[in-house]
Amino acid sequence: MICNLLFLVAYASGQTTLNQSKISGIVADQVTKLPLNYVTVRLKTADGTTLKTMLTLNNGSFLFTGLKPEPYQLTLSALGYEGLEIPAEGRDTLFLQPKENGLKEVSITADRPILRQKAGKIIYDMQADPDSKNTMLLDMMRKIPYLSVDGDQNLLLKGSPDFRVFLNGKPSGMFARDLKSILKSIPASTVQSIEVMTIPSSKYDAEGLAGIINIITIKKLNNEWNGTLNLNARLPDAGTGAGSSFTFKKNKWGMSAMTGGNLNRSPELTGNAFRQTYGTNPTDLFQERNRKPKSESGYLGTELSYEIDTLNLISARFNTNGKHAEDNGFLHSTLSGAQGILQGYELAERTRANSSGLDFSADYQLGFKADKNRMLTLSYSYQNHKNDPFTEALISKVTNYPNRNFRQEQYDHTKENTIQLDFVRPHKILTVEMGVKGIFRDNKADFKVDDDPQNSDHLTYRQQVLSAYNSYQLNWNSWNLQAGLRLEHTSIDADFLSHTANVKQNYTNLFPTIMINKTLKGGNSWNAGFSQRMKRPGINRLNPFVNRLNPDFETTGNPDLRPVVVNSISLGYNSSKKLTFTAGMDYSFLNEADLPVSTFDPVRNITTKTYDNSGELAGLSSFVYLRYPLTSRLDLSMNGRAIYFWMSGEAMGQKIKARLFTYSFNLSSGYNFESGWRTSMNLNLDSRNPTGFQGTTNGMLSSSFNVSKTLIKDKLSFGAGINNPFTKFRTNETITEGPQFYQRDYSQSYFRSFSVNLNYNFGSLKGELKKNKRGIRNNDLSN
């Protein structure tokens, strides 16, 4: 692979264009300045005769070679855009203007396709959705195909929490560490689009069972600078947030930044748990608890670029985030048997947790005179993350309970270095990409419990992932084919200072990917694909530290966990006419899945939850998205999924099988009044979801109603809304079953809330911020 790479670089450097000429360029949207793919480009002679025809590639580029040195004309056409015909001389970037229609006092731009589909991914245009002006990004995710948000506000991709999140095509540790809080802080108005990659190509790391979500932040292109400021508040659970983005460009220098934060103060919440055990000495455990959580979080992301000349570009990124969380709670526990109360206690708990992280990356991109789309990129990144939860527990009113007050401390520190080399060479209708990459991780964890030396230790966890990939993209008429292979070798060395059971693992995997996309007449398309992806256990699942925050329910990691490989077959269809319609099906299966396993110890009367590679999992999924303008002012959209799961695993020496049908639907509608007013409504229906082969969480029905007003056109807008006006609290229910026990856990969360939102856009920008087209994407680790 390395020899291939060096040969192609040398070959690319030595190419000439003697005795022939070529015409190349890039086609982009005049408004967003984003590249346009599948634009029909016709090359004509001076008398108007069509000589050659091709479709632009994914990066918007086209190339005609082997031409005689004479004048030519270019004709460009694409659905939803004005046609363009210009001389072919001296052209670099060509811009197409979206079509426009006028309607009395309301100026309506011709509908930008809110959804586009490419091989292996869909692109949701956030700026084409009017609700994005006064909504936070997490709430907008419910409207995007393949995505959903569960009752605990966790984002799911194809019904799974195992996926990777990028920012502008690059990985960021802040999303891996605190995704929920950051998505609640980012105003949707600062985001240009969301890319959902259900079948990522071979250039991406194989990690992330369900795929990759790429968040593209907005880059407006009018004058020299621009930005967005968003303020929001929510009651009665006292959630206050702010978010801002800023972009600046001056000559060859460019800078972009985004920042935000969240303050959360929740009133007191209640909950309870019940466990029933069977056997020779059956017992009943009942717990009542209350808690009062609060947290503060913030993030900052920056990107700098400098265009040395047309062939050399350097860029760098710096991201940081931090969070402080506190939770004060009280627990009353009673264990009963045939003879009456066997055990009882009350526990007052105080938990504090501080986490912080930063990551830095830099890229150098080299172009070639023979072809500007031919690129060699060298990249480096560094990540550093710290987390130190601390818990103090005071136990009182004890009945036959042997434990005493305790302090539980944990300190996690993660460092990561990555280096990567990529090369891309387009040739007529074929684009070849290849690269090599090395990831070097060094994780350390200290954990201890006072008066419990058996549960105190120091963990050193080192991981290396070496990989190489080769992928091909073929654009032929209306067909797009992408295929590739990725080779990854992983070595793990984990040491426990006070344990003899150290972990050493070495494994090598070859991951194939193939995607086919066919564009039909009228802009419709269908696609199909197959991929293999991997899930490596993160340090949170490997760490053997036993968490006893609730003395009757323990959780611990398993240092013997092995990686899991998932196989996925998918089929999709997309139509972007007046009715935007997307439908897809997916079948995924994996063996030796690292599913949670809960067991009951009748001697200690304790339930223990850990992870084990004894599971098997398969899912048949269907997805559908509809958006239709009922009138010029009223729009309606629906996003839904349905998944049937087959699951099995082993717990307490017994094989357990489970079958579960799940679904999630979001219905949205909005109406535009005159003078800048808009009202919108959202209705969400979610079924119960599996926690593994032993348990489920309950479903929910939620709703929201919003009103917004544009105070200054394209500048200032205000919004207000109410969520779930008919239900004050939501009860989250989790059921877990095993061979000798059955348990239910109920927790309360505020459901009804009132929100206000203020969004201000300022400045404008003339030139697009230059960015490297290749770089490090560490999407290879799951927790």
Side-chain angles (χ1 to χ4, degrees):
M1 180 65 67
I2 295 175
C3 291
N4 248 348
L5 183 65
L6 296 176
F7 171 77
L8 282 179
V9 172
Y11 174 80
S13 302
Q15 290 299 293
T16 65
T17 56
L18 296 177
N19 301 321
Q20 65 178 11
S21 63
K22 65 178 183 178
I23 295 174
S24 64
I26 295 176
V27 183
D29 187 299
Q30 178 66 46
V31 178
T32 67
K33 298 302 186 292
L34 294 177
L36 297 174
N37 64 331
Y38 302 124
V39 176
T40 302
V41 184
R42 293 180 174 87
L43 181 68
K44 297 183 178 181
T45 59
D47 61 1
T49 302
T50 299
L51 185 64
K52 294 185 177 183
T53 303
M54 72 170 295
L55 297 175
T56 56
L57 304 180
N58 285 342
N59 59 3
S61 65
F62 64 89
L63 174 66
F64 296 108
T65 59
L67 305 176
K68 297 179 180 180
E70 60 182 61
Y72 294 97
Q73 291 284 119
L74 288 175
T75 300
L76 285 69
S77 60
L79 182 67
Y81 291 87
E82 301 285 353
L84 180 65
E85 184 168 356
I86 54 174
E89 303 298 333
R91 300 294 177 183
D92 186 9
T93 302
L94 308 176
F95 296 103
L96 294 185
Q97 179 68 40
K99 293 181 180 178
E100 296 185 356
N101 295 318
L103 181 63
K104 294 183 180 180
E105 299 177 0
V106 184
S107 177
I108 300 177
T109 302
D111 289 337
R112 290 165 55 178
I114 200 167
L115 197 68
R116 289 182 291 152
Q117 187 166 28
K118 297 182 180 180
K121 68 179 178 181
I122 62 100
I123 303 171
Y124 190 90
D125 189 343
M126 195 67 69
Q127 295 301 301
D129 191 328
D131 290 335
S132 66
K133 293 182 179 179
N134 296 94
T135 307
M136 306 312 292
L137 185 56
L138 182 63
D139 294 323
M140 289 296 298
M141 292 292 193
R142 302 178 188 271
K143 305 175 69 173
I144 300 177
Y146 300 103
L147 301 185
S148 58
V149 180
D150 66 12
D152 196 33
Q153 295 188 311
N154 295 306
L155 183 63
L156 305 177
L157 171 55
K158 297 197 297 186
S160 169
D162 294 315
F163 56 86
R164 302 290 91 197
V165 179
F166 289 172
L167 177 64
N168 294 320
K170 312 288 184 181
S172 176
M174 65 183 185
F175 286 114
R177 295 186 287 265
D178 195 14
L179 178 62
K180 183 196 306 186
S181 296
I182 293 178
L183 291 181
K184 292 168 66 176
S185 300
I186 297 179
S189 59
T190 64
V191 174
Q192 176 67 37
S193 60
I194 301 292
E195 296 181 350
V196 181
M197 306 180 196
T198 54
I199 306 181
S201 70
S202 297
K203 68 183 178 183
Y204 297 102
D205 295 306
E207 181 62 40
L209 295 185
I212 297 172
I213 300 173
N214 186 22
I215 301 173
I216 308 296
T217 56
I218 190 168
K219 299 288 188 298
K220 290 188 177 179
L221 306 170
N222 294 324
N223 287 325
E224 286 295 322
W225 54 276
N226 80 339
T228 297
L229 175 64
N230 184 278
L231 304 175
N232 59 86
R234 186 182 67 250
L235 295 172
D237 52 344
T240 304
S244 180
S245 66
F246 178 79
T247 302
F248 171 79
K249 186 178 187 299
K250 184 67 173 179
N251 299 326
K252 296 183 177 183
W253 289 92
M255 185 193 78
S256 67
M258 61 181 301
T259 184
N262 243 359
L263 299 175
N264 286 287
R265 299 289 185 271
S266 175
E268 187 174 87
L269 302 172
T270 63
N272 61 72
F274 170 77
R275 184 187 66 203
Q276 188 175 54
T277 63
Y278 320 117
T280 55
N281 298 303
T283 62
D284 291 330
L285 173 70
F286 183 75
Q287 292 186 341
E288 292 181 304
R289 62 181 183 270
N290 56 60
R291 52 190 295 262
K292 193 173 183 179
K294 66 177 182 178
S295 64
E296 303 92 30
S297 62
Y299 66 91
L300 170 67
T302 62
E303 181 170 347
L304 297 171
S305 69
Y306 178 67
E307 187 180 10
I308 302 173
D309 53 39
T310 57
L311 299 179
N312 294 271
L313 174 67
I314 57 176
S315 64
R317 286 153 299 280
F318 175 80
N319 302 308
T320 183
N321 74 304
K323 182 177 181 179
H324 172 76
E326 298 183 13
D327 197 344
N328 297 318
F330 179 82
L331 172 69
H332 176 81
S333 180
T334 303
L335 178 69
S336 302
Q339 307 300 321
I341 296 179
L342 303 177
Q343 191 180 89
Y345 63 89
E346 291 184 354
L347 183 148
E349 169 218 334
R350 184 172 70 96
T351 298
R352 304 290 183 269
N354 294 302
S355 62
S356 62
L358 64 87
D359 53 80
F360 167 81
S361 63
D363 306 311
Y364 169 68
Q365 178 180 292
L366 173 66
F368 297 87
K369 292 182 178 180
D371 185 355
K372 291 183 179 180
N373 292 317
R374 193 178 307 164
M375 293 174 296
L376 179 70
T377 305
L378 177 64
S379 306
Y380 169 77
S381 78
Y382 170 79
Q383 292 190 18
N384 190 322
H385 177 241
K386 299 178 181 179
N387 183 40
D388 57 346
F390 162 81
T391 299
E392 222 174 14
L394 303 177
I395 298 176
S396 61
K397 298 183 179 180
V398 173
T399 302
N400 298 326
Y401 185 70
N403 291 0
R404 299 177 296 172
N405 302 340
F406 65 88
R407 289 164 52 98
Q408 179 174 292
E409 299 178 63
Q410 185 175 347
Y411 176 77
D412 298 329
H413 189 190
T414 300
K415 292 183 179 180
E416 178 182 291
N417 290 273
T418 304
I419 188 167
Q420 179 174 334
L421 182 67
D422 297 282
F423 178 69
V424 56
R425 184 182 189 275
H427 181 71
K428 294 183 179 179
I429 62 174
L430 179 66
T431 299
V432 181
E433 297 181 67
M434 59 178 57
V436 291
K437 181 177 183 178
I439 305 175
F440 308 92
R441 295 188 175 100
D442 186 5
N443 301 338
K444 297 179 181 180
D446 290 291
F447 43 96
K448 66 179 182 178
V449 178
D450 289 355
D451 301 324
D452 187 2
Q454 295 298 320
N455 196 30
S456 301
D457 207 343
H458 174 80
L459 166 66
T460 300
Y461 176 81
R462 292 173 292 272
Q463 182 189 84
Q464 294 183 4
V465 181
L466 305 178
S467 59
Y469 74 90
N470 196 189
S471 67
Y472 300 84
Q473 180 178 165
L474 176 66
N475 287 283
W476 180 67
N477 295 329
S478 59
W479 290 89
N480 176 266
L481 172 65
Q482 298 184 40
L485 290 172
R486 185 176 188 90
L487 182 68
E488 294 189 353
H489 173 75
T490 305
S491 61
I492 296 175
D493 185 0
D495 296 324
F496 306 92
L497 293 185
S498 59
H499 290 73
T500 57
N502 295 331
V503 178
K504 295 184 183 296
Q505 296 181 356
N506 287 276
Y507 47 88
T508 302
N509 300 87
L510 184 64
F511 301 98
T513 301
I514 183 169
M515 298 169 284
I516 303 173
N517 191 87
K518 166 67 173 176
T519 302
L520 308 174
K521 292 183 178 180
N524 302 336
S525 64
W526 65 265
N527 65 86
F530 168 79
S531 70
Q532 279 189 344
R533 298 188 63 76
M534 173 182 280
K535 177 184 177 184
R536 294 184 183 90
I539 191 172
N540 291 346
R541 292 195 174 189
L542 293 169
N543 194 339
F545 173 67
V546 180
N547 189 324
R548 297 192 174 101
L549 292 182
N550 187 329
D552 294 299
F553 299 93
E554 298 177 346
T555 60
T556 182
N558 179 2
D560 296 322
L561 281 181
R562 300 182 301 277
V564 179
V565 176
V566 61
N567 302 272
S568 295
I569 304 170
S570 66
L571 182 67
Y573 176 81
N574 175 259
S575 176
S576 297
K577 298 181 180 180
K578 185 175 182 180
L579 169 66
T580 301
F581 173 74
T582 294
M585 294 192 67
D586 181 278
Y587 178 70
S588 300
F589 58 95
L590 59 157
N591 298 318
E592 296 186 340
D594 57 341
L595 298 176
V597 177
S598 295
T599 58
F600 175 71
D601 183 353
V603 177
R604 298 189 302 146
N605 288 308
I606 290 176
T607 302
T608 300
K609 175 185 173 182
T610 187
Y611 299 90
D612 190 68
N613 287 107
S614 64
E616 295 182 359
L617 177 64
L620 179 62
S621 313
S622 61
F623 308 90
V624 62
Y625 172 86
L626 298 168
R627 184 180 179 88
Y628 186 75
L630 299 175
T631 69
S632 61
R633 297 179 180 274
L634 179 63
D635 57 80
L636 179 70
S637 67
M638 191 274 287
N639 180 36
R641 65 164 172 84
I643 306 177
Y644 190 84
F645 288 102
W646 294 267
M647 295 169 288
S648 64
E650 186 174 312
M652 301 179 70
Q654 293 190 24
K655 192 76 171 180
I656 300 175
K657 294 183 178 182
R659 306 287 186 269
L660 186 64
F661 175 73
T662 70
Y663 54 84
S664 175
F665 292 96
N666 169 266
L667 182 66
S668 302
S669 182
Y671 186 84
N672 295 309
F673 294 89
E674 295 183 2
S675 304
W677 286 96
R678 175 178 171 84
T679 60
S680 61
M681 174 274 295
N682 285 274
L683 184 67
N684 304 288
L685 176 63
D686 291 278
S687 70
R688 57 180 181 152
N689 283 291
T691 59
F693 61 89
Q694 289 182 271
T696 60
T697 60
N698 62 326
M700 70 170 185
L701 175 65
S702 63
S703 60
S704 65
F705 303 89
N706 301 278
V707 60
S708 62
K709 164 67 174 174
T710 300
L711 303 176
I712 303 175
K713 185 178 180 181
D714 298 327
K715 291 288 185 181
L716 182 63
S717 61
F718 171 82
I722 180 172
N723 298 318
N724 308 299
F726 312 110
T727 308
K728 184 176 182 180
F729 294 101
R730 177 179 187 264
T731 300
N732 309 292
E733 179 190 59
T734 302
I735 295 176
T736 306
E737 296 183 79
Q740 297 181 14
F741 71 96
Y742 169 88
Q743 66 188 41
R744 289 196 316 262
D745 183 272
Y746 297 98
S747 62
Q748 187 185 68
S749 60
Y750 264 95
F751 212 38
R752 181 191 302 154
S753 63
F754 304 89
S755 62
V756 293
N757 189 297
L758 186 67
N759 194 83
Y760 178 65
N761 299 321
F762 54 91
S764 54
L765 196 68
K766 288 181 180 177
E768 182 176 4
L769 184 64
K770 290 288 185 178
K771 299 177 63 176
N772 292 90
K773 298 181 180 180
R774 291 294 182 272
I776 288 175
R777 301 174 175 89
N778 280 3
N779 51 309
D780 75 303
L781 190 65
S782 289
N783 284 320

